[in-house]
Amino acid sequence: DNVVSNILRFSKNGHLEMAPVNSHAIIQEQSSHFTLDANCKAKFNLELKANGFINANEHALRQIFYNLFLFRFACVFTRIIKRFCVL
């Protein structure tokens, strides 16, 4: 019950603490989840040149990039399955 109430309280909290965050470090960290997985053949070509510091919530930004990368690879995987399999 405590876990559920904590999740509900967190999800309803509209206020996120903002601070300077190095977006380049978060992008590299989140992309490494996919490149380090032996079953995932993901490759990233990161050319992060500009100043990567932005004012954001670090945890929310980390989740956003993870979700974007996960969605991208799910789309690629689905396309491969449809090409080689009869569904």
Side-chain angles (χ1 to χ4, degrees), residues 42-57:
K43 293 182 182 178
F44 286 82
N45 183 14
L46 300 175
E47 295 182 21
L48 306 172
K49 296 178 182 177
N51 183 1
F53 283 91
I54 61 173
N55 194 33
N57 179 276

Side-chain angles (χ1 to χ4, degrees), residues 10-82:
F10 174 75
S11 66
K12 291 180 181 177
N13 184 0
H15 176 70
L16 295 175
E17 302 250 348
M18 306 293 259
V21 177
N22 185 345
S23 62
H24 293 177
I26 291 178
I27 291 169
Q28 290 172 338
E29 170 193 305
Q30 294 306 309
S31 66
S32 71
H33 288 291
F34 298 94
T35 57
L36 295 177
D37 184 349
N39 296 323
C40 182
K41 305 283 191 238
K43 293 182 182 178
F44 286 82
N45 183 14
L46 300 175
E47 295 182 21
L48 306 172
K49 296 178 182 177
N51 183 1
F53 283 91
I54 61 173
N55 194 33
N57 179 276
E58 182 177 352
H59 302 291
L61 193 61
R62 183 174 282 115
Q63 188 65 51
I64 288 168
F65 281 113
Y66 181 81
N67 290 348
L68 285 172
F69 295 150
L70 183 63
F71 178 75
R72 174 66 179 133
F73 288 110
C75 290
V76 169
F77 182 72
T78 301
R79 209 174 324 140
I80 291 169
I81 293 297
K82 285 181 180 178

